[in-house]
Amino acid sequence: MSKRLFTSESVTEGHPDKLCDQISDAVLDAMLSQDPYSRVACETFASTGMVFVMGEFSTNAYVDVESVVRKTVAEIGYNNPLFGFDSNACAVITSMKEQSPDIARGVDKSLEAREGEKNEDFETGAGDQGMMFGFACDETEDYMPMPIYLAHKLTKRLAEVRKNGTIPYLRPDGKSQVTVEYDENGKPCAVKTVVISTQHDPSVTQEQIRSDIIGHVIVPTIPAELISDNITYYVNPTGRFVYGGPQADTGLTGRKIIVDTYGGYARHGGGCFSGKDPTKVDRSGAYMTRYIAKNIVAAGLAKSCEIEVAYAIGVSTPVSVHVDTNKTGVLPDAKIEEIIKKHFDLRPAAIIKKLDLRRPIFKNTAAYGHFGRSDSDFPWEKLDKVNDLKKEL
């Protein structure tokens, strides 16, 4: 195997698409906190001076959506008209309707239940058709690919130095991108390129921004052993990033699905997560497959593991489960698939129960990735099946 390069990106919580993801999940959390059985499919878009919240909602909760929106926007940092977007002044428009009864009937009572199955874990049907992927590898302590792992750390650091005043002229919008070199054995050995684009006050020079970003963001974040002699830093390569957020770019829920998952290092089924309650298998299925893949790698069954699960709408039992260890498994992939079916229940009701997904925990997922988050207590990141899986060796 020859050396190769792989690149992943992340965006800050102030990126317009991420702002919309956080609003959608904040609305979801507000409803789940009052009614854990809320059905929510919340979409948000944001543009100059405006946030539009829309979607399908079936809930007994009463939520002041406008207040949720303004609070979320303010927490992100858009609380000043000079930033181009202001939580106090933006218009908030809503268009909300009830979930389609044709979908609800299949979620309320799965095909198996309608055909006479009495087991309660068959009761809930999948909220949509589709395929979901989960992935884990041994490249980092959080079982994530190195490029997205570092890209998220950089954007989180950008937000940290903005909020704590280390770099006071920064504004909420920003991006990172990291190119990692892999050696002949497929191990990450060096960071070749780092790109940081960050919104800033117009009075600051490009030279000052570059110096501060390298000194306070990049160097403290990238492990010293991965900084190569010929590393390239691109800091605001256009030379200016004053206009940002929804003022400069319309934001939309679900447009950063690769940032949310594995940075392009693994497959993606195409469905976004934010704004969806756990009966939507786009979300719960992806969380469950991540949980399974991470436990498999941590147990030593493989160095890399990608799992696909697929569903038919209104049906509880998955139509397929597929395992790909990229030839790193200590057992054949077909055998690992059998082990998964033995130890993990992939029916939607069982997933919701196992991962305790009817709680208002989702807003915190909507920036800096849904996976590999050691800063958050996400149930799908737990390694509580490792001992059981080791016995299969």
Side-chain angles (χ1 to χ4, degrees):
M1 183 185 294
S2 61
K3 289 187 176 182
R4 62 188 177 92
L5 301 177
F6 195 89
T7 302
S8 294
E9 72 160 350
S10 178
V11 298
T12 66
E13 63 209 63
H15 185 281
D17 293 332
K18 274 286 137 216
L19 178 142
C20 291
D21 285 344
Q22 290 165 92
I23 290 172
S24 292
D25 272 338
V27 172
L28 169 64
D29 278 356
M31 292 185 176
L32 289 176
S33 66
Q34 297 180 41
D35 178 5
Y37 291 88
S38 296
R39 301 277 175 79
V40 179
C42 182
E43 310 287 350
T44 304
F45 83 74
S47 189
T48 305
M50 179 180 67
V51 175
F52 199 144
V53 180
M54 55 206 146
E56 296 76 51
F57 306 82
S58 296
T59 181
N60 292 318
Y62 171 76
V63 173
D64 184 345
V65 174
E66 179 180 346
S67 294
V68 171
V69 170
R70 295 193 189 282
K71 180 181 179 183
T72 303
V73 174
E75 288 173 348
I76 290 168
Y78 288 112
N79 51 15
N80 188 327
L82 294 177
F83 298 172
F85 200 74
D86 182 8
S87 61
N88 296 309
C90 65
V92 179
I93 305 168
T94 61
S95 177
M96 306 165 73
K97 59 183 180 293
E98 192 173 5
Q99 183 182 53
S100 162
D102 295 342
I103 296 174
R105 71 188 300 269
V107 179
D108 293 338
K109 190 174 287 292
S110 71
L111 176 65
E112 294 95 328
R114 296 196 302 274
E115 290 180 344
E117 177 61 58
K118 301 299 183 183
N119 187 318
E120 65 177 12
D121 286 334
F122 279 107
E123 188 70 19
T124 302
D128 203 352
Q129 69 175 49
M131 63 281 190
M132 302 85 218
F133 290 88
F135 179 78
C137 62
D138 65 357
E139 291 182 12
T140 66
E141 60 186 0
D142 291 329
Y143 297 91
M144 291 290 285
M146 185 65 77
I148 190 67
Y149 173 82
L150 294 176
H152 283 322
K153 284 190 173 296
L154 287 168
T155 50
K156 289 182 71 176
R157 179 64 180 167
L158 260 182
E160 181 183 335
V161 298
R162 168 174 64 89
K163 292 178 178 180
N164 67 19
T166 301
I167 310 181
Y169 56 78
L170 295 184
R171 292 177 176 177
D173 199 356
K175 286 186 174 184
S176 71
Q177 185 173 287
V178 180
T179 300
V180 174
E181 181 179 55
Y182 288 77
D183 64 20
E184 293 85 352
N185 297 314
K187 297 291 186 182
C189 60
V191 172
K192 304 296 288 184
T193 306
V194 177
V195 183
I196 298 286
S197 295
T198 181
Q199 189 184 11
H200 59 88
D201 184 281
S203 65
V204 187
T205 66
Q206 171 69 1
E207 291 74 19
Q208 180 69 54
I209 297 168
R210 178 179 173 85
S211 175
D212 286 343
I213 292 299
I214 292 175
H216 293 295
V217 176
I218 299 175
V219 172
T221 302
I222 303 296
E225 64 271 18
L226 292 180
I227 296 182
S228 60
D229 294 335
N230 58 347
I231 190 171
T232 300
Y233 299 130
Y234 291 109
V235 178
N236 283 7
T238 70
R240 178 180 167 90
F241 188 178
V242 172
Y243 294 98
Q247 180 189 33
D249 184 14
T250 298
L252 183 66
T253 297
R255 204 156 51 185
K256 286 292 177 283
I257 59 175
I258 300 303
V259 172
D260 285 341
T261 52
Y262 308 102
Y265 201 89
R267 296 178 181 96
H268 196 296
C272 82
F273 303 154
S274 290
K276 295 178 179 177
D277 75 83
T279 66
K280 278 74 171 175
V281 285
D282 276 338
R283 183 166 220 160
S284 53
Y287 288 175
M288 189 64 175
T289 49
R290 161 64 180 177
Y291 170 65
I292 298 170
K294 184 175 180 180
N295 276 269
I296 284 173
V297 174
L301 272 69
K303 293 181 175 296
S304 171
C305 183
E306 183 183 76
I307 299 168
E308 182 202 41
V309 63
Y311 295 90
I313 188 169
V315 180
S316 177
T317 307
V319 299
S320 68
V321 178
H322 174 75
V323 176
D324 183 359
T325 63
N326 195 28
K327 300 180 180 179
T328 68
V330 298
L331 300 170
D333 288 355
K335 177 61 178 176
I336 295 177
E337 184 179 318
E338 292 177 9
I339 292 170
I340 289 171
K341 291 177 179 177
K342 175 182 175 182
H343 288 279
F344 300 93
D345 193 335
L346 286 161
R347 293 170 296 178
I351 293 173
I352 292 169
K353 186 187 304 180
K354 173 63 182 175
L355 301 181
D356 198 9
L357 296 180
R358 294 199 184 277
R359 298 174 295 137
I361 60 172
F362 298 108
K363 182 187 173 187
N364 198 31
T365 68
Y368 312 117
H370 293 244
F371 308 125
R373 295 281 298 278
S374 56
D375 63 327
S376 300
D377 184 22
F378 295 155
W380 50 92
E381 292 297 315
K382 291 181 178 179
L383 294 174
D384 54 3
K385 297 292 282 187
V386 169
N387 290 335
D388 290 339
L389 294 173
K390 282 182 175 179
K391 294 175 183 177
E392 297 292 344
L393 293 172

